[in-house]
Amino acid sequence: MTKEPSRSTAPIIRVQDLRKKYGQFEAVKGISFEVYPGEIFGLLGPNGAGKSTTLEIMETLREKTSGKVQIAGFDLDADPSAIKRIIGVQLQASGYYPGLNLIQLLELFAGLYNRAINPMDFLALVDLKEKAKAKFKDLSGGQKQRFSIATTLINEPQIIFLDEPTTGLDPQARRNLWDLIAGIRAKGTTVILTTHYMDEAEVLCDRVAIIDSGKIIALASPDELIDQLVATGFERPKEVKRANLEDVFIHMTGKALRRDV
Ligand code: ADP
Ligand code: MG
């Protein structure tokens, strides 16, 4: 997938010394990072690291305890509604009205944003035109994720936030989603995503922040992080394989989308 350097411009997101306490427990312990326009930026880390908390604060959906967040020049404390207008947020599946089909759901979202859209255009973007009349609950895991990504695009956002977009998907559906996310970025949208799949981050992300127990312990491009590790004398214990089991699986079952994907 193409990776586009984009450092010549000012950051589109600035997070400075961000902290979040849940009662006495500090889930985010003073993290700082910047994201540049057109990047795919990954927040990586094990469960409980503080990825979703950080994302939800940037999305204006969760209060921070302290720190400074600026998104596209808007300060989170001063102007959250301006931020809401220029970002796309993936909602949890439970947020979808069960009685509505995909077209009706997209129309509902468009109404919330006060936008006139053609729902079929958005379904085409995520390869779901054939499911236009289906209910969300009747979609496969990959289809659900693709639909929820379509909903993030309705207000033509500058930035979209995706929280573990590929967790629980099979290899074909995951790769299909990587293509979709790379395609959204290719049109100029900045993408912030969380994942605990390192292969995904390596393929998709321009830069990643590794978060552990609420702190950023590394921040660089995947290649830079790998080079830094190799420079310490690190070697894999075994001879590097020229393919892995996932390659075998994809080779045998095909990369093409399944009807169910
Ligand atoms: P991640 O997304 O990296 O798995 P989270 O941001 O969801 O991590 O959670 C970070 C830490 O904060 C975890 O220890 C989690 O249990 C805790 N936490 C998250 N939300 C709440 C909450 N609403 N109340 C109390 N603790 C929370
Ligand atoms: Mg999470």
Side-chain angles (χ1 to χ4, degrees):
M1 262 161 231
T2 39
K3 302 202 168 179
E4 295 164 9
S6 48
R7 292 312 164 78
S8 51
T9 41
I12 192 165
I13 294 179
R14 276 181 212 268
V15 173
Q16 288 166 277
D17 200 21
L18 179 67
R19 289 175 193 272
K20 174 65 183 181
K21 277 189 177 173
Y22 294 111
Q24 289 303 301
F25 173 70
E26 196 171 31
V28 177
K29 300 189 176 85
I31 64 172
S32 301
F33 60 91
E34 295 178 337
V35 179
Y36 292 88
E39 271 195 311
I40 300 181
F41 187 87
L43 293 172
L44 315 189
N47 285 330
K51 305 181 296 295
S52 296
T53 299
T54 303
L55 214 63
E56 287 166 13
I57 291 169
M58 291 191 283
E59 291 168 347
T60 76
L61 300 177
R62 200 175 276 277
E63 294 275 320
K64 61 184 165 58
T65 302
S66 65
K68 197 169 165 61
V69 177
Q70 287 168 292
I71 296 186
F74 298 112
D75 185 87
L76 181 68
D77 297 319
D79 223 345
S81 53
I83 293 176
K84 282 196 182 91
R85 276 196 292 275
I86 57 137
I87 65 171
V89 172
Q90 206 181 3
L91 288 183
Q92 300 300 315
S94 56
Y96 298 125
Y97 290 87
L100 303 183
N101 67 34
L102 300 191
I103 289 186
Q104 293 165 330
L105 283 171
L106 286 169
E107 283 170 344
L108 179 74
F109 279 107
L112 297 177
Y113 283 114
N114 214 2
R115 296 242 171 185
I117 61 155
N118 180 355
M120 287 309 267
D121 292 346
F122 286 83
L123 293 177
L125 263 175
V126 295
D127 201 17
L128 282 176
K129 270 163 84 172
E130 286 169 27
K131 294 286 172 181
K133 297 277 172 64
K135 305 274 165 63
F136 181 79
K137 66 173 168 45
D138 297 325
L139 301 178
S140 71
Q143 290 168 341
K144 283 180 173 157
Q145 286 294 358
R146 296 211 302 279
F147 180 74
S148 71
I149 288 177
T151 66
T152 71
L153 300 173
I154 287 173
N155 59 329
E156 296 175 44
Q158 296 180 34
I159 307 166
I160 60 170
F161 294 92
L162 307 174
D163 198 354
E164 296 193 19
T166 66
T167 294
L169 301 185
D170 69 34
Q172 280 93 352
R174 284 179 73 214
R175 287 176 189 221
N176 179 249
L177 220 63
W178 296 350
D179 288 343
L180 174 62
I181 293 167
I184 291 168
R185 183 273 290 282
K187 289 181 191 153
T189 309
T190 306
V191 180
I192 320 293
L193 59 85
T194 70
T195 182
H196 44 235
Y197 297 118
M198 297 306 125
D199 59 337
E200 176 163 302
E202 200 174 333
V203 171
L204 208 51
C205 295
D206 301 298
R207 290 188 308 134
V208 298
I210 301 180
I211 304 187
D212 194 18
S213 304
K215 287 184 182 153
I216 292 182
I217 55 173
L219 199 169
S221 72
D223 283 348
E224 283 163 354
L225 291 174
I226 292 165
D227 288 349
Q228 285 168 18
L229 178 65
V230 170
T232 67
F234 176 89
E235 275 181 56
R236 282 198 175 172
K238 278 195 211 157
E239 185 190 332
V240 177
K241 290 180 186 170
R242 292 169 66 188
N244 62 23
L245 186 59
E246 178 155 315
D247 296 323
V248 174
F249 180 81
I250 292 285
H251 184 74
M252 295 177 79
T253 63
K255 204 183 165 186
L257 274 183
R258 300 309 172 81
R259 187 167 308 205
D260 185 40
V261 169

